[in-house]
Amino acid sequence: MNNETLLYDDGHHKCIMFSLEDEEHSNYSLSVNQFLIIQNDAAILIDPGSAAIFGELYDAISAHIDPSHLKYIFFSHQDPDVAGAIDQWSVATSASLVISNLWVRFMGHYGLMDMGRIMGLEDHGAMIKFGNDFLQFIPAHFLHSPGNFSLYDSRSKILFSGDIGAAVASPQNLNKRVDDFEEHRPYLEGFHSRYMASNIFCRAWVECVRRHEVEIIAPQHGSIFKGEVAQKFLSWFEEVEGGEEQVATLYGLKR
Ligand code: FE
């Protein structure tokens, strides 16, 4: 099975998507993606996942770059399918571990010993220089985690969106790319209407994202959105009501 997709390559800057899954739980319905950005001899790894795939992912990135050249490992949020192997990555590399400040104190529960390795992100995010370009950590709080960030790569114009854009059981997950947004939409709806907190956060995120030129939106689960399909996704996402609506209905609350 081909579990590697080249998203961008201009000879100096490369973005690779890996789709490695814990085989015992493998099921295309919630395909998990990990990402690597390489510029010359520096790299950043994005949402590396759980301990179950640590060895396989380490080998996969080693085919592209010496893992000791990883400068940063970015965790969009605290979930085990994102940060579960943070202790192993801290031992295997010398990278700075980037995550929301909200989650720093919890990382010890995944076995992380040296909290000094963490570069905690303030709520407003951060911009870091990466080679000749920059990486922007865009706030995505409550979508779904209260301390959550997306990552925008200015060179490739790819937005790594974490759980935003995750599709469950979409047939288009098999080819990793959404060709028809309307066909894919039903597989986004259930996840986003329950996992995203409220419409105000969806709108705020879309507004931040629209300040950047985005070619590809690459979520941690499911398929990527490219070009016009990415724009259709943003227009759809800013209308998502999220869990607030569901909870209000559940409790019969007036809004
Ligand atoms: Fe999550």
Side-chain angles (χ1 to χ4, degrees), residues 46-62:
I46 300 167
D47 288 349
S50 67
I53 61 155
F54 169 77
E56 206 185 338
L57 183 59
Y58 187 89
D59 291 345
I61 67 169
S62 302

Side-chain angles (χ1 to χ4, degrees), residues 3 23 32 63 81 107 110 114 117 119 135-136 210 217:
N3 50 25
E23 266 161 33
V32 188
D81 60 330
M107 292 300 108
Y110 287 139
D114 181 5
R117 290 286 300 282
M119 179 181 140
L135 300 170
Q136 178 86 44
R210 285 202 173 122
I217 297 175

